[in-house]
Amino acid sequence: MTDTRNQATDKSITIYDIAEEAGVSIATVSRVLSGSANVRESKKQKIMEIVDKYHFQPNAVAKSLSMTSTKTIGIIAADVRNPFYSALFVAIELAAEKAGYHVSLANLLGVTEREEEQIDLMVQQRVDAIIQMGGSADAAITASSYVKKVNAVNKTIPIITTGKIDNTKTHHVCIDDANATEQLMEHLLHLGHRQIAFVGGRQDVISTVIKIEKYKEILEKNHLKFRKEYIHFGGYDPETGYEGTQRFLDLETPPTAIIAVNDFAASGVIRALRDRKKKCPKDVSLVSYDNTYIADLLVPRLDSVDYNYELFGQKLVDTALALIEKQQMPEKQTVEPVLILRGSSGKAPVS
């Protein structure tokens, strides 16, 4: 029979003792013992040295501990029909697969009332972590009932968002929306535009609020008047882009450049310009956020802010895995945007 006693204390060695001596979590030890690939080599080597040192053999309890992980990350998406969410979901899925995890998708279809039900389903599926993209994570003010639900679940299952959930200890991996807006505005100002409109988004969505605040700030910094008629809210769809552009073009002084809240809305802008016999970028320049596949399909091809989806997804998964392992992580991390130019913006027309 194998002796698994600590010779110095003459007591039986357990998985808890190995975790303490190695300075890692019990979950990490159980993963090493179960042959999981999702442990850094340096940690694995340290754990195995201790295992060999005490001639440790995992008993049935230790083996059962290794089975507590389902190796699943739950993904709650506002609406995967939106190419931003579908692009980010694919990036998360690929990053999770590389780490030996698979994902379970809950699509809210734009209905935030489905969120609590979907979280309950994730809990029933025993996912190891939850990543939420959009929905209540985008709300300027989080509903109190959702805060209560998230706080209850987050005690045992880490929740990571691409936005924020008020009054919770969730972790956030967010786009730097202010920096993205600054890049778009500075680009248009450099091209000589002074009449710049903004189309799309909702005022109860935090990312849109941040974008509009930065838009106003840069106008003021450049001694340009903020004009309410140059803002058209609505949604994140082509119809909002189309309707807003039609309204802009009816103004006595129409804008020479338009910022669309996303590529979907930008497609509506281009359709409206075409219907009004306006050329882009000769008559009206257009820039956007998200840099999804739509940006390459439009004519002209769209100038859009890119979020490096591969890195974005990797950061979300890395954060989830670290929290599963009970490791400390920054509460908030940001993804730095980059403006990709393709030809939908040009110099301001001469009056």
Side-chain angles (χ1 to χ4, degrees), residues 15 25-39 44 47 62 65-66 68-71 101 128 321-322 324-325:
I15 191 172
S25 69
I26 297 165
T28 300
V29 175
S30 67
R31 283 179 183 161
V32 170
L33 295 176
S34 65
S36 170
N38 188 36
V39 179
K44 186 181 295 185
I47 290 167
L65 281 170
S66 72
T68 58
S69 170
T70 61
K71 307 291 284 184
Y101 278 69
D128 297 321
L321 296 180
I324 290 169
E325 294 285 349

Side-chain angles (χ1 to χ4, degrees), residues 74-76 84-85 88 92 115 119 129-139 142 146 150 154 157-166 168-175 206 312 315-317 319-320 323 330-335:
I75 312 294
I76 297 177
F84 166 79
Y85 292 116
L88 185 53
I92 292 170
E115 287 176 320
I119 282 190
I130 296 172
I131 295 174
Q132 179 165 2
M133 310 184 297
S136 286
D138 278 349
T142 312
Y146 196 62
V150 168
N154 201 43
I157 300 174
I159 297 176
I160 305 93
T161 79
T162 58
K164 56 90 184 171
I165 301 177
D166 297 328
T168 67
K169 293 183 178 180
T170 53
H171 285 67
H172 321 285
V173 180
C174 311
I175 296 163
I206 189 63
F312 197 173
K315 278 193 173 187
L316 285 163
V317 170
T319 302
L323 295 175
E331 185 177 320
K332 182 176 181 179
Q333 301 170 72
T334 56
V335 175

Side-chain angles (χ1 to χ4, degrees), residues 30-327:
S30 67
R31 283 179 183 161
V32 170
L33 295 176
S34 65
S36 170
N38 188 36
V39 179
R40 284 202 299 269
E41 191 59 37
S42 58
K43 284 187 178 180
K44 186 181 295 185
Q45 184 177 346
K46 188 172 184 179
I47 290 167
M48 290 310 299
E49 286 175 356
I50 298 169
V51 167
D52 292 338
K53 173 182 173 182
Y54 298 120
H55 307 291
F56 178 83
Q57 287 187 345
N59 58 24
V61 174
K63 287 179 180 177
S64 69
L65 281 170
S66 72
M67 300 302 291
T68 58
S69 170
T70 61
K71 307 291 284 184
T72 305
I73 296 175
I75 312 294
I76 297 177
D79 195 338
V80 291
R81 293 172 297 186
N82 182 321
F84 166 79
Y85 292 116
S86 57
L88 185 53
F89 170 74
V90 169
I92 292 170
E93 184 174 31
L94 291 174
E97 284 181 356
K98 284 192 297 183
Y101 278 69
H102 59 274
V103 298
S104 175
L105 174 65
N107 186 16
L108 299 177
L109 299 169
V111 182
T112 54
E113 289 76 14
R114 287 165 52 90
E115 287 176 320
E116 292 190 32
E117 174 188 340
Q118 294 301 328
I119 282 190
D120 287 339
L121 288 173
M122 294 283 181
V123 172
Q124 290 173 26
Q125 293 171 17
R126 295 176 56 243
V127 299
D128 297 321
I130 296 172
I131 295 174
Q132 179 165 2
M133 310 184 297
S136 286
D138 278 349
I141 301 174
T142 312
S144 58
S145 62
Y146 196 62
V147 170
K148 184 177 180 180
K149 170 68 70 176
V150 168
N151 276 330
V153 173
N154 201 43
K155 290 177 181 177
T156 54
I157 300 174
I159 297 176
I160 305 93
T161 79
T162 58
K164 56 90 184 171
I165 301 177
D166 297 328
N167 303 312
T168 67
K169 293 183 178 180
T170 53
H171 285 67
H172 321 285
V173 180
C174 311
I175 296 163
D176 190 339
D177 290 302
N179 181 270
T181 304
E182 186 170 4
Q183 289 189 47
L184 292 177
M185 287 292 287
E186 293 299 336
H187 170 68
L188 293 173
L189 290 168
H190 179 73
L191 292 171
H193 295 280
R194 296 298 179 266
Q195 288 83 44
I196 303 171
F198 190 104
V199 65
R202 299 201 319 265
Q203 296 181 73
D204 61 344
V205 173
I206 189 63
S207 60
T208 301
V209 170
I210 292 170
K211 288 172 178 134
I212 292 298
E213 286 178 351
K214 179 55 70 171
Y215 164 85
K216 291 179 179 178
E217 179 186 314
I218 293 173
L219 287 176
E220 183 178 354
K221 176 183 172 183
N222 287 273
H223 310 290
L224 298 173
K225 181 183 177 182
F226 168 68
R227 301 174 61 168
K228 286 186 178 180
E229 64 269 29
Y230 279 1
I231 303 290
H232 181 84
F233 295 114
Y236 299 83
D237 50 76
E239 290 71 25
T240 296
Y242 185 87
E243 293 166 5
T245 302
Q246 292 282 16
R247 188 168 70 81
F248 294 153
L249 294 177
D250 287 337
L251 295 172
E252 184 177 343
T253 305
T256 63
I258 297 173
I259 298 175
V261 75
N262 65 5
D263 298 341
F264 254 2
S267 70
V269 172
I270 287 180
R271 181 161 58 90
L273 293 175
R274 185 175 61 244
D275 287 354
R276 296 291 288 267
K277 311 299 182 188
K278 298 291 183 181
K279 293 183 178 179
C280 176
K282 181 180 177 181
D283 298 317
V284 180
S285 287
L286 173 64
V287 294
S288 177
Y289 300 85
D290 290 2
N291 195 38
T292 62
Y293 69 90
I294 290 175
D296 268 323
L297 299 178
L298 297 175
V299 179
R301 294 168 70 226
L302 187 61
D303 296 345
S304 187
V305 173
D306 183 78
Y307 305 131
N308 192 341
Y309 290 97
E310 182 178 353
L311 176 62
F312 197 173
Q314 189 67 58
K315 278 193 173 187
L316 285 163
V317 170
D318 286 347
T319 302
L321 296 180
L323 295 175
I324 290 169
E325 294 285 349
K326 310 297 183 185
Q327 296 174 6

